[in-house]
Amino acid sequence: MTKGRLTLPSETNFLEETKELIERWGADAIRDSDGTKLDEQIKSLPAKIYTTYFVARAHNEFAEKHPEETQQLYLLSDRITAVNSSVTISFMKGFLKEQIKPDYQNDAKKWWEVIDRTSGEVVPTTDWELEKANDQVIIHQAKAFHEYTVSFLAYMIWDPTQMYNHITNDWGDKAHDIPFDVRQPYSNHHMKTYLKQWLKDNPDTDVVRFTTFYYHFTLFFNDQRKEKFVDWFGYGGTVSVRALNDFEAEKGYRLRPEDFIDEGYYNSTFRNPTAAYLDYIDFIQAFVAKEAKELVDMVHASGKEAMMFLGDNWIGTEPYGKLFESIGLDAVVGSVGGGATLRMLADIPHVRYTEGRFLPYFFPDTFHEGNNPNIEANENWLTARRAIMRKPIDRIGYGGYLSLAYKFPYFVDYIAEVADEFRDIHDKIKDVKPHTVLKVAILNAWGALRSWQTHMVAHALWYKQIYSYQGILESLSGMPVEVSFISFDDIIASGVPADIDVIINAGDAETAFSGGDYWENTELVTTIRKWVYEGGGFIGVGEPSAIHKNGQFFQLAQVLGVDKELGFTLSTDKYFTEVKTEHFITQDTKAFDFGEGMKNVYALNADTEIIEYSNGEVHLSSHDYGEGRGVYIAGLPYSIENSRLLYRSLYYAARKEEAFEKWNTTNPACELNYYPEIEKFALVNNTMDSQETVYFDGQGNRFEVTLEPSEIRWEEI
Amino acid sequence: MTKGRLTLPSETNFLEETKELIERWGADAIRDSDGTKLDEQIKSLPAKIYTTYFVARAHNEFAEKHPEETQQLYLLSDRITAVNSSVTISFMKGFLKEQIKPDYQNDAKKWWEVIDRTSGEVVPTTDWELEKANDQVIIHQAKAFHEYTVSFLAYMIWDPTQMYNHITNDWGDKAHDIPFDVRQPYSNHHMKTYLKQWLKDNPDTDVVRFTTFYYHFTLFFNDQRKEKFVDWFGYGGTVSVRALNDFEAEKGYRLRPEDFIDEGYYNSTFRNPTAAYLDYIDFIQAFVAKEAKELVDMVHASGKEAMMFLGDNWIGTEPYGKLFESIGLDAVVGSVGGGATLRMLADIPHVRYTEGRFLPYFFPDTFHEGNNPNIEANENWLTARRAIMRKPIDRIGYGGYLSLAYKFPYFVDYIAEVADEFRDIHDKIKDVKPHTVLKVAILNAWGALRSWQTHMVAHALWYKQIYSYQGILESLSGMPVEVSFISFDDIIASGVPADIDVIINAGDAETAFSGGDYWENTELVTTIRKWVYEGGGFIGVGEPSAIHKNGQFFQLAQVLGVDKELGFTLSTDKYFTEVKTEHFITQDTKAFDFGEGMKNVYALNADTEIIEYSNGEVHLSSHDYGEGRGVYIAGLPYSIENSRLLYRSLYYAARKEEAFEKWNTTNPACELNYYPEIEKFALVNNTMDSQETVYFDGQGNRFEVTLEPSEIRWEEI
């Protein structure tokens, strides 16, 4: 049994059991949670103490004194049809008044916008009036049967995370945390003086766990107290009159409400970001980094460590942004939903360590009689372990009520095993570069800024429209390849990075992930065509490079050898439907699963290798393009089989098939990670069943092996 | 047994049997066919004689003397990628040289275009050269990894229909019919002098069956002698240097090759037509009408009738165009594939009679031992009869080898029954206005010009991308409603016609049938919104009113109560999924079939009545909008059940549910047509099984009835 690298949640009146579990799991840190506190005796145990710290909420005594410094956001009313020349918009309809309060302090005529959504025109401020008494805007001289909206500035008078917990757990009349904006003078002063004192008052705290800094991702509820809108990446909650003025002073132009409202899309990451929105992200990022640095410096000055939680009020920290390093954080902690979210944490640069909060939470939904929490724990660990084998986080931890978990002795045993296995992996491969044959770049409008964050709406949640793309990152997270994230602008500015073997472009048409009107840029398309022609591999998933223009939909149709029928070329006969039943890519595939798939994709000519064709459509194909190749996949939900299909597609696209039977396994349920620097390799069984596989060493020699359920087996060279 | 209204195909050496069949089927006309001729004895039988007449082909002796007058068309080469600054395009690659010959007579630099399809720019003529010897264009100063095409003018040296028959039937060294262009002087002179003589030489001919006039719909083959491109509406084959010059003189501007090539789409009817293309259609229509009138006048002067075949060389006749009347034709004959194609014939105005050519053809593919031709005949008759009950054609007929059909006595018997039934229906309801409650308008970019011709690629052929829309017309063809076709321009110019109850807009996004960028027109959208608000019904199928703009995809989303998720509003919670299991629209529906369906459609709010929801999507819904309603249907392939679903949707959209149980049946397999003027109604069994149904009279009284398979039962009021 080994020790360390594990954080235990604890609670009051749980001293002896905490001691026992510190011992059993080798924990070296203890944390509080939302709803649990640590008592003095626990704080004096021989372990680091993490203390959750809220910077910009949970200080209502202060916040209530400065309502003008409450955080703000821009919101869009319902779309109301004018049936005659006057139309009244009750703009608060559908919003939760407990959370949202219109800003009647600042001049609505200056800061709000009424828009004719049929013509797209802004209604002159002389043509509408605000009736504050009943939260209405009345538009005069409306055009009949045009649809109108009000974009209004509001105060957010309830912190979204506390609101969520409060409503979900029925906290009754517990006070609502008012989030305040540290861009404002009193708030800024308060947060600093408060922290200064707090650091003095909490000598037992070793690690200040910021949860998080200043701005929550966009989350607001409806008048039924249910979620109305959630965007884990949303900058909606960062806005204020002061921020807008500061922005104008700094960037030299003024933002409009519409820069935030964005036709009701609120700058979803699925939208190609506008130049103004990117400027705004930079602007907020700079502010957050500068202010967070001050807090972190204070923490350091007090001899403690500063850790941030990647979630809740993380907006503006941008762990993959240019300014993150300047904050000077010691650590980042985040929740691990699978391999992709693990890599989102593990790959964060410029911190000394990263910590993953694993599933299941110690909550009654899992820890109740008749349920075996080991199953969820095992699944979570297997998906995370795949990713850890490529890039380890430095610590693991859990959350919730330790007393609940304690009632399940076999769970306690299982976590003890996981902890040992994690420490063993970490000891062996931390800072050891794993062997890779291929370098893969995910290409989209966001690039590195959204590393491991593509196709995500709310953290790790499933949506019908995204799961067929999310499988790509989940597959890559544990695959023996190097992964980077590049943007269209990167390619336009500097070409394809020299060391990339395969580019993946995946997403629905028009989205920022497939690229939409970026593909009208001839520099972009010719650069990629040339790069593939000279030997690069391009994998398109869904509607890659899609924009209807110049007689085609996929602008890289000639590279991929397929395009999508939109109805305009039905007159042209489509003869190419014959499937290559034996193909390198599908050698391990028994049944296809393209998830939502894609309709009406067809092969352009006989040169296209059709690998799967059904329902009158191509769902998987490859096409030689000069020295390179273009592979098309209709969709790739995560599964072990699809992960292998993608892995083979990468080799095929890169024309490195001959390297496939080196440092590899024949059974897709098993993976082999090789670490040349330490002259070891690991055979990993990613399933809860026993698996037989052949594996290949670096010379291609074959070995047979049987791996126990979930086994990881280390071998020396 | 009755007589008349039936045309028999006959052939040489088949006199006695022909006489017998004239008697059995009550035929009053005899025709020849492709590949069959009538001998003198048959021509002297007591029946009208139809003779097939080719105006602009099958005169090779003439055509070979004037190769410069051969018909032309614009063709697009393959799209070739420049891998360096010089690119060679073998523009004839993929075309059938037996059919297509590049035009090397006229100056390529003037009449051809080389286009950079990556930038969309035309390559200056100084930057490319034509090498006639090897059918190549060489582009100098090409931009690397741009894709280039050559739009070239070619001669069509083989008539497409003859080519099709020739290749299909392996006619070996039979001469290839060269189509000549009657816009050219010699050709024009030839066709007139030839017809003049021909009319003299064919005294037995009563009806000159023009097959057809001057220009074939676009149809060209590939170098494997298989169809490469087919567009039943294509004006591709009407072009020539002379036509282009005439056009410029008449319209005041010059067309470019790209006006025909259209990025490779060749002005598919699925494209919103450009102003130039509409001008061109008008221009050709005017020419065809004027020239056809001259021929028709000659026919009339010789005491014969002039009939045109709706197909093959029908381009420019435009039976639903403004100039059709001026041609002065006596009749139109066309092939009947079902109800929609029957109505396409039957509704043609300004002719004395219409004739439908029914299935099956008397060809060996159907008339062979072991096959029962009655089944196809019965199916064809039932689908056509539905439509005939609303608008009868005036004659029926058959094609092929009569000698083949004669070998199937039970087929002869069945057609005798069909003929009697047809004559009976015609006698009763010709020129009798059937009772209707609802007037329905199909709204698209083409309007009346393409009446009963929406979503069609090749005549009556099935395509995966269209069958889910074609079911609408097929359903309507026999439904007790009045159907008209209106265009977006009609509405923009004159509003919605006053008597319309329901508008249907159906199609995939961007197509001319759903409307694409027409929906950016605020006049259009507000007119329709107002009209629905004041009580109109709007039914959207597929992607109605779709163009991504102003924060929505369906521009009538507020009318329909649904929109399609494109990925940009995933952050907005979608709560509305509850289905109204009891709904007027689905009262007769047992299982849903939306055909290809539509993905990711969701209800905007609780006001939307969701009628079908599965796989996380709405496929059928209704939404009250003022006094009117918007109904959404994901797709509507033809079936008896879907026809009923549409019928109910029409009543529901029009808010006339209370009228549904009048002059109607409860069993969707049966329909009731009421003819007030003759105080009769007909109960029709549209299936080959016996059917029980309740039917309602005009007061809503219920009656029970059992109809025999295929029965039509007439009742007096």
Side-chain angles (χ1 to χ4, degrees):
Chain A
M1 217 205 91
T2 55
K3 289 213 169 290
R5 307 207 168 280
L6 187 140
T7 304
L8 205 62
S10 191
E11 56 196 280
T12 48
N13 301 318
F14 206 62
L15 183 64
E16 290 311 314
E17 298 90 337
T18 302
K19 278 187 192 167
E20 185 190 333
L21 286 167
I22 284 177
E23 193 59 31
R24 291 288 308 283
W25 292 356
D28 58 354
I30 304 176
R31 57 169 290 219
D32 56 4
S33 297
D34 260 6
T36 61
K37 290 285 158 215
L38 303 182
D39 53 33
E40 289 310 309
Q41 284 178 304
I42 285 175
K43 284 189 189 169
S44 57
L45 287 172
K48 275 190 183 177
I49 300 299
Y50 291 11
T51 309
T52 300
Y53 187 88
F54 298 116
V55 177
R57 66 144 160 142
H59 297 241
N60 275 11
E61 211 173 317
F62 163 78
E64 280 163 6
K65 279 188 213 138
H66 295 284
E68 78 286 0
E69 295 198 352
T70 304
Q71 291 190 12
Q72 299 203 281
L73 71 180
Y74 268 119
L75 294 170
L76 184 68
S77 75
D78 283 348
R79 182 185 279 254
I80 304 297
T81 305
V83 297
N84 52 46
S85 64
S86 167
V87 59
T88 299
I89 301 182
S90 297
F91 52 83
M92 276 294 290
K93 183 164 175 281
F95 292 101
L96 181 62
K97 291 197 176 176
E98 293 174 283
Q99 189 198 8
I100 304 296
K101 192 175 149 187
D103 174 357
Y104 291 149
Q105 276 65 55
N106 294 292
D107 181 7
K109 296 268 172 157
K110 179 162 183 189
W111 300 105
W112 299 20
E113 255 176 5
V114 177
I115 295 186
D116 177 341
R117 293 288 174 192
T118 299
S119 69
E121 290 158 348
V122 177
V123 176
T125 53
T126 48
D127 284 0
W128 57 269
E129 293 169 66
L130 171 62
E131 284 194 358
K132 295 179 183 178
N134 43 15
D135 298 337
Q136 289 183 336
V137 161
I138 296 135
I139 306 166
H140 305 295
Q141 284 142 350
K143 291 175 186 152
F145 292 94
H146 284 231
E147 293 165 358
Y148 292 88
T149 59
V150 176
S151 305
F152 63 105
L153 195 55
Y155 290 109
M156 181 166 61
I157 58 177
W158 196 357
D159 173 80
T161 291
Q162 203 232 8
M163 176 177 66
Y164 173 84
N165 290 331
H166 201 293
I167 291 172
T168 307
N169 299 317
D170 215 358
W171 285 349
D173 57 5
K174 188 176 155 82
H176 296 179
D177 279 1
I178 303 166
F180 48 94
D181 183 356
V182 304
R183 182 182 290 277
Q184 309 292 349
Y186 294 108
S187 297
N188 196 279
H189 179 258
H190 173 79
M191 77 159 170
K192 285 169 186 165
T193 50
Y194 192 92
L195 178 62
K196 197 169 173 186
Q197 187 59 42
W198 186 93
L199 290 167
K200 282 182 199 154
D201 295 345
N202 287 272
D204 297 329
T205 297
D206 300 293
V207 178
V208 182
R209 186 182 182 278
F210 286 106
T211 305
T212 310
F213 290 110
Y214 311 121
Y215 301 111
H216 203 284
F217 60 83
T218 315
L219 172 62
F220 45 87
F221 273 35
N222 67 20
D223 52 1
Q224 306 301 305
R225 302 184 112 216
K226 284 161 72 183
E227 185 182 282
K228 183 177 172 71
F229 182 94
V230 59
D231 178 4
W232 202 69
F233 303 95
Y235 273 67
T238 65
V239 79
S240 65
V241 165
R242 185 180 295 268
L244 293 169
N245 286 333
D246 288 355
F247 180 93
E248 185 177 1
E250 190 177 317
K251 303 283 181 181
Y253 68 100
R254 190 170 156 173
L255 295 175
R256 288 174 48 196
E258 190 64 6
D259 287 312
F260 299 88
I261 296 300
D262 182 27
E263 300 186 341
Y265 303 136
Y266 295 100
N267 294 298
S268 158
T269 54
F270 288 72
R271 296 275 282 171
N272 274 343
T274 60
Y277 188 56
L278 289 174
D279 270 359
Y280 185 75
I281 289 178
D282 278 349
F283 165 77
I284 294 295
Q285 205 183 155
F287 173 78
V288 167
K290 177 180 138 296
E291 293 293 332
K293 176 181 172 16
E294 287 190 45
L295 300 195
V296 168
D297 286 349
M298 286 165 68
V299 170
H300 286 164
S302 73
K304 302 180 199 305
E305 293 181 10
M307 170 184 274
M308 80 166 238
F309 171 62
L310 184 63
D312 297 357
N313 303 61
W314 77 290
I315 293 301
T317 62
E318 295 297 353
Y320 293 95
K322 290 185 203 82
L323 302 175
F324 184 71
E325 181 175 15
S326 70
I327 301 175
L329 284 160
D330 298 284
V332 177
V333 61
S335 158
V336 175
T341 48
L342 187 128
R343 289 295 294 270
M344 180 168 78
L345 274 173
D347 283 21
I348 292 174
H350 311 306
V351 286
R352 286 196 293 112
Y353 62 97
T354 55
E355 176 169 322
R357 195 175 62 187
F358 278 65
L359 298 176
Y361 284 110
F362 305 162
F363 278 166
D365 56 346
T366 306
F367 289 84
H368 61 80
E369 189 138 339
N371 191 47
N372 179 356
N374 285 25
I375 294 168
E376 190 179 346
N378 195 345
E379 282 170 356
N380 187 240
W381 173 241
L382 288 183
T383 56
R385 189 180 67 181
R386 279 190 73 226
I388 289 171
M389 298 305 291
R390 304 307 301 170
K391 176 79 182 176
I393 47 173
D394 300 291
R395 303 181 56 80
I396 63 176
Y398 294 87
Y401 300 97
L402 192 59
S403 55
L404 267 178
Y406 187 76
K407 291 178 192 154
F408 290 73
Y410 58 89
F411 178 75
V412 171
D413 290 347
Y414 178 64
I415 299 303
E417 280 175 41
V418 167
D420 280 346
E421 188 167 290
F422 168 70
R423 283 184 287 256
D424 182 51
I425 296 169
H426 191 276
D427 287 352
K428 285 195 171 76
I429 67 164
K430 176 63 181 171
D431 298 326
V432 172
K433 199 176 151 57
H435 171 75
T436 56
V437 174
L438 298 173
K439 297 196 181 181
V440 179
I442 303 284
L443 172 65
N444 58 45
W446 290 102
L449 188 71
R450 291 278 167 270
S451 294
W452 299 102
Q453 296 166 13
T454 65
H455 295 283
M456 205 196 285
V457 180
H459 190 279
L461 289 193
W462 185 96
Y463 288 74
K464 171 179 163 66
Q465 290 82 4
I466 62 180
Y467 77 93
S468 310
Y469 299 117
Q470 285 179 324
I472 299 164
L473 284 199
E474 189 62 26
S475 296
L476 291 175
S477 71
M479 206 180 267
V481 298
E482 249 178 61
V483 182
S484 64
F485 294 80
I486 59 175
S487 74
F488 302 116
D489 288 331
D490 293 341
I491 289 189
I492 293 163
S494 329
V496 180
D499 56 351
I500 299 300
D501 296 292
V502 181
I503 289 173
I504 298 178
N505 178 241
D508 283 342
E510 283 197 60
T511 64
F513 302 115
S514 79
D517 48 23
Y518 272 104
W519 293 105
E520 299 194 38
N521 185 302
T522 56
E523 189 61 30
L524 176 68
V525 295
T526 58
T527 300
I528 294 180
R529 285 176 190 157
K530 180 169 190 287
W531 177 80
V532 178
Y533 193 83
E534 292 173 351
F538 184 89
I539 298 182
V541 185
E543 297 179 310
S545 78
I547 185 163
H548 183 211
K549 194 180 162 66
N550 290 325
Q552 53 191 9
F553 189 50
F554 298 167
Q555 295 305 309
L556 297 181
Q558 298 290 321
V559 172
L560 292 163
V562 297
D563 202 352
K564 184 176 170 178
E565 174 62 62
L566 301 180
F568 311 124
T569 62
L570 289 173
S571 287
T572 299
D573 288 272
K574 314 288 193 310
Y575 286 109
F576 311 105
T577 63
E578 205 178 314
V579 173
K580 281 195 98 167
T581 44
E582 287 283 308
H583 198 280
F584 175 81
I585 288 178
T586 49
Q587 226 155 283
D588 301 321
T589 304
K590 289 186 192 73
F592 290 102
D593 176 9
F594 301 108
E596 292 297 300
M598 188 50 61
K599 279 193 174 176
N600 299 327
V601 172
Y602 66 95
L604 296 182
N605 53 52
D607 296 339
T608 305
E609 296 167 12
I610 300 174
I611 310 174
E612 199 276 355
Y613 184 93
S614 57
N615 195 25
E617 303 156 349
V618 172
H619 301 112
L620 180 60
S621 64
S622 181
H623 180 249
D624 288 0
Y625 188 77
E627 300 296 310
R629 271 186 186 140
V631 171
Y632 177 77
I633 308 175
L636 198 98
Y638 181 69
S639 68
I640 279 173
E641 226 173 310
N642 271 349
S643 181
R644 175 59 67 116
L645 187 146
L646 179 61
Y647 192 41
R648 284 187 165 274
S649 298
L650 293 169
Y651 274 80
Y652 195 72
R655 299 207 183 210
K656 292 196 175 172
E657 302 97 298
E658 88 295 332
F660 193 74
E661 292 195 349
K662 287 174 187 164
W663 298 124
N664 202 356
T665 60
T666 53
N667 179 343
C670 303
E671 283 173 312
L672 187 157
N673 290 286
Y674 166 47
Y675 306 91
E677 293 170 26
I678 57 169
E679 297 185 331
K680 282 189 174 62
F681 64 92
L683 289 159
V684 188
N685 177 354
N686 290 322
T687 71
M688 290 186 254
D689 300 313
S690 152
Q691 297 285 349
E692 290 180 22
T693 186
V694 164
Y695 70 88
F696 304 96
D697 67 11
Q699 280 71 50
N701 298 311
R702 298 166 60 94
F703 304 88
E704 279 177 35
V705 66
T706 302
L707 296 174
E708 297 303 305
S710 306
E711 184 181 355
I712 174 166
R713 185 179 300 180
W714 291 92
E715 303 277 358
E716 307 276 333
I717 304 295
Chain B
M1 214 205 94
T2 55
K3 288 213 170 293
R5 305 207 168 278
L6 188 139
T7 306
L8 205 63
S10 191
E11 56 196 281
T12 46
N13 300 318
F14 205 61
L15 182 65
E16 289 311 315
E17 297 90 335
T18 301
K19 278 187 192 166
E20 184 190 335
L21 285 167
I22 284 177
E23 192 59 33
R24 291 288 310 282
W25 292 356
D28 60 353
I30 304 175
R31 56 170 291 220
D32 57 2
S33 297
D34 259 9
T36 61
K37 290 283 158 216
L38 304 181
D39 54 33
E40 289 310 309
Q41 285 179 301
I42 285 176
K43 283 188 189 169
S44 56
L45 287 171
K48 277 191 182 176
I49 299 298
Y50 292 10
T51 309
T52 299
Y53 188 88
F54 297 116
V55 177
R57 63 144 161 143
H59 298 240
N60 275 11
E61 212 173 315
F62 163 79
E64 280 163 7
K65 277 188 216 138
H66 296 284
E68 77 288 0
E69 295 198 353
T70 304
Q71 290 191 11
Q72 298 203 280
L73 73 179
Y74 267 119
L75 294 170
L76 184 69
S77 75
D78 283 347
R79 183 185 278 255
I80 304 297
T81 306
V83 297
N84 51 47
S85 63
S86 168
V87 57
T88 299
I89 301 182
S90 299
F91 52 84
M92 276 294 289
K93 182 162 176 283
F95 294 100
L96 180 63
K97 291 196 175 178
E98 291 173 285
Q99 187 197 11
I100 303 296
K101 191 176 150 189
D103 172 358
Y104 290 150
Q105 276 65 55
N106 294 291
D107 181 7
K109 297 270 173 158
K110 180 165 183 188
W111 299 105
W112 299 20
E113 254 176 6
V114 177
I115 294 186
D116 176 340
R117 293 287 173 192
T118 299
S119 69
E121 291 158 348
V122 177
V123 177
T125 51
T126 48
D127 285 0
W128 57 269
E129 294 168 65
L130 170 62
E131 283 193 359
K132 297 180 183 179
N134 42 16
D135 298 335
Q136 289 183 337
V137 162
I138 296 134
I139 305 165
H140 305 296
Q141 281 139 355
K143 291 176 186 151
F145 293 94
H146 284 232
E147 292 164 0
Y148 293 87
T149 60
V150 175
S151 304
F152 63 104
L153 195 56
Y155 290 110
M156 181 166 63
I157 57 177
W158 195 358
D159 173 79
T161 291
Q162 202 231 10
M163 174 176 66
Y164 173 83
N165 291 331
H166 200 293
I167 290 173
T168 306
N169 300 316
D170 215 1
W171 285 350
D173 57 4
K174 186 174 158 80
H176 296 180
D177 278 2
I178 301 166
F180 47 95
D181 183 356
V182 304
R183 181 181 292 278
Q184 309 292 350
Y186 294 107
S187 297
N188 195 281
H189 180 258
H190 172 78
M191 76 159 170
K192 286 170 188 164
T193 51
Y194 191 92
L195 178 63
K196 199 170 173 183
Q197 187 57 44
W198 187 92
L199 290 168
K200 283 184 197 152
D201 294 347
N202 288 271
D204 297 329
T205 296
D206 301 292
V207 179
V208 181
R209 184 182 183 278
F210 286 106
T211 307
T212 311
F213 289 109
Y214 311 120
Y215 301 111
H216 203 284
F217 61 82
T218 315
L219 173 61
F220 45 85
F221 272 35
N222 67 21
D223 52 1
Q224 305 301 304
R225 303 184 113 214
K226 285 162 69 183
E227 185 183 281
K228 182 177 172 71
F229 182 95
V230 60
D231 177 4
W232 201 69
F233 303 94
Y235 274 67
T238 64
V239 78
S240 64
V241 164
R242 185 180 294 267
L244 293 170
N245 286 334
D246 289 356
F247 180 93
E248 186 177 0
E250 188 176 319
K251 303 283 182 182
Y253 67 100
R254 189 169 157 174
L255 295 174
R256 288 173 48 195
E258 190 63 7
D259 288 311
F260 299 88
I261 295 299
D262 183 27
E263 300 187 342
Y265 303 137
Y266 295 99
N267 294 299
S268 158
T269 55
F270 288 73
R271 297 276 280 171
N272 275 342
T274 60
Y277 188 55
L278 289 174
D279 270 0
Y280 186 75
I281 289 179
D282 278 349
F283 165 79
I284 293 295
Q285 205 183 154
F287 173 78
V288 168
K290 177 180 140 297
E291 294 293 333
K293 178 182 173 12
E294 288 190 43
L295 300 196
V296 169
D297 286 349
M298 286 165 69
V299 170
H300 286 166
S302 75
K304 303 181 197 302
E305 293 181 11
M307 170 183 275
M308 81 165 235
F309 172 61
L310 184 62
D312 296 0
N313 303 59
W314 76 290
I315 293 302
T317 62
E318 295 298 351
Y320 293 95
K322 292 186 203 79
L323 302 175
F324 183 70
E325 181 175 14
S326 70
I327 301 175
L329 283 161
D330 297 283
V332 177
V333 61
S335 158
V336 175
T341 49
L342 187 126
R343 288 295 292 272
M344 179 167 79
L345 274 174
D347 284 21
I348 291 174
H350 312 306
V351 287
R352 288 196 292 112
Y353 63 97
T354 55
E355 175 170 323
R357 194 175 62 186
F358 279 64
L359 299 177
Y361 283 109
F362 305 162
F363 278 165
D365 54 347
T366 306
F367 290 84
H368 60 82
E369 188 136 340
N371 190 47
N372 179 354
N374 285 24
I375 295 169
E376 190 179 347
N378 197 345
E379 282 169 356
N380 188 240
W381 173 240
L382 288 183
T383 56
R385 188 180 67 179
R386 280 190 72 227
I388 289 171
M389 297 306 290
R390 304 307 303 168
K391 177 79 181 175
I393 47 175
D394 300 290
R395 303 181 55 82
I396 62 175
Y398 294 87
Y401 301 97
L402 192 61
S403 55
L404 267 179
Y406 187 77
K407 291 179 193 156
F408 290 72
Y410 58 90
F411 178 76
V412 171
D413 290 347
Y414 178 64
I415 298 303
E417 280 174 41
V418 167
D420 280 346
E421 188 167 290
F422 168 70
R423 284 183 287 256
D424 183 50
I425 297 169
H426 192 275
D427 287 353
K428 287 196 170 75
I429 67 165
K430 176 63 182 169
D431 297 327
V432 172
K433 199 175 150 60
H435 171 75
T436 55
V437 174
L438 299 174
K439 298 197 180 180
V440 180
I442 304 283
L443 172 64
N444 59 44
W446 291 101
L449 187 72
R450 291 277 168 271
S451 293
W452 300 103
Q453 296 167 14
T454 65
H455 295 284
M456 206 197 283
V457 179
H459 190 279
L461 288 194
W462 185 96
Y463 287 75
K464 172 179 164 66
Q465 290 82 3
I466 62 179
Y467 76 92
S468 310
Y469 299 117
Q470 285 178 325
I472 298 164
L473 284 199
E474 189 62 26
S475 297
L476 291 174
S477 71
M479 206 180 269
V481 297
E482 250 178 59
V483 182
S484 64
F485 294 81
I486 59 175
S487 74
F488 302 115
D489 288 331
D490 292 341
I491 289 191
I492 293 163
S494 329
V496 179
D499 57 351
I500 298 300
D501 296 293
V502 181
I503 289 173
I504 298 177
N505 178 240
D508 283 342
E510 283 195 58
T511 64
F513 302 115
S514 80
D517 48 22
Y518 273 104
W519 294 104
E520 299 193 40
N521 186 303
T522 57
E523 190 61 30
L524 175 69
V525 295
T526 58
T527 300
I528 293 181
R529 284 177 191 156
K530 181 168 189 289
W531 177 80
V532 179
Y533 192 83
E534 292 174 350
F538 184 90
I539 298 182
V541 185
E543 296 179 310
S545 78
I547 185 163
H548 184 211
K549 193 178 162 67
N550 290 324
Q552 53 190 8
F553 190 49
F554 297 167
Q555 295 306 308
L556 297 180
Q558 298 291 320
V559 172
L560 293 164
V562 296
D563 202 351
K564 184 176 172 181
E565 173 62 61
L566 301 179
F568 311 125
T569 63
L570 289 173
S571 286
T572 299
D573 289 271
K574 313 287 193 313
Y575 286 110
F576 312 106
T577 62
E578 204 177 314
V579 173
K580 281 195 99 168
T581 43
E582 286 285 307
H583 198 281
F584 176 82
I585 288 179
T586 49
Q587 227 156 281
D588 302 321
T589 304
K590 289 186 192 74
F592 290 101
D593 176 9
F594 301 106
E596 292 296 298
M598 189 49 63
K599 279 194 174 177
N600 298 327
V601 174
Y602 66 95
L604 295 182
N605 53 53
D607 296 339
T608 305
E609 296 167 12
I610 300 174
I611 310 174
E612 200 276 355
Y613 184 93
S614 57
N615 195 26
E617 302 157 350
V618 173
H619 303 111
L620 180 60
S621 64
S622 181
H623 180 249
D624 287 3
Y625 188 77
E627 300 296 309
R629 272 188 186 135
V631 171
Y632 176 77
I633 308 175
L636 197 99
Y638 181 69
S639 68
I640 280 174
E641 226 174 311
N642 271 347
S643 181
R644 176 58 67 116
L645 188 147
L646 179 62
Y647 192 41
R648 284 186 165 274
S649 299
L650 293 169
Y651 275 79
Y652 195 73
R655 297 206 184 212
K656 293 196 176 172
E657 302 97 297
E658 88 294 334
F660 193 74
E661 292 195 350
K662 287 175 188 164
W663 298 124
N664 202 357
T665 59
T666 53
N667 179 343
C670 303
E671 283 172 313
L672 187 157
N673 290 285
Y674 166 47
Y675 306 91
E677 293 170 26
I678 56 169
E679 298 182 334
K680 281 189 173 63
F681 64 94
L683 289 158
V684 188
N685 177 354
N686 291 322
T687 70
M688 289 187 253
D689 300 312
S690 151
Q691 297 285 349
E692 291 179 20
T693 186
V694 164
Y695 70 88
F696 304 96
D697 68 11
Q699 281 69 50
N701 298 311
R702 298 165 60 95
F703 303 88
E704 278 177 39
V705 67
T706 302
L707 297 174
E708 296 304 304
S710 307
E711 184 181 355
I712 175 166
R713 185 180 301 181
W714 291 91
E715 302 278 358
E716 307 275 335
I717 303 294

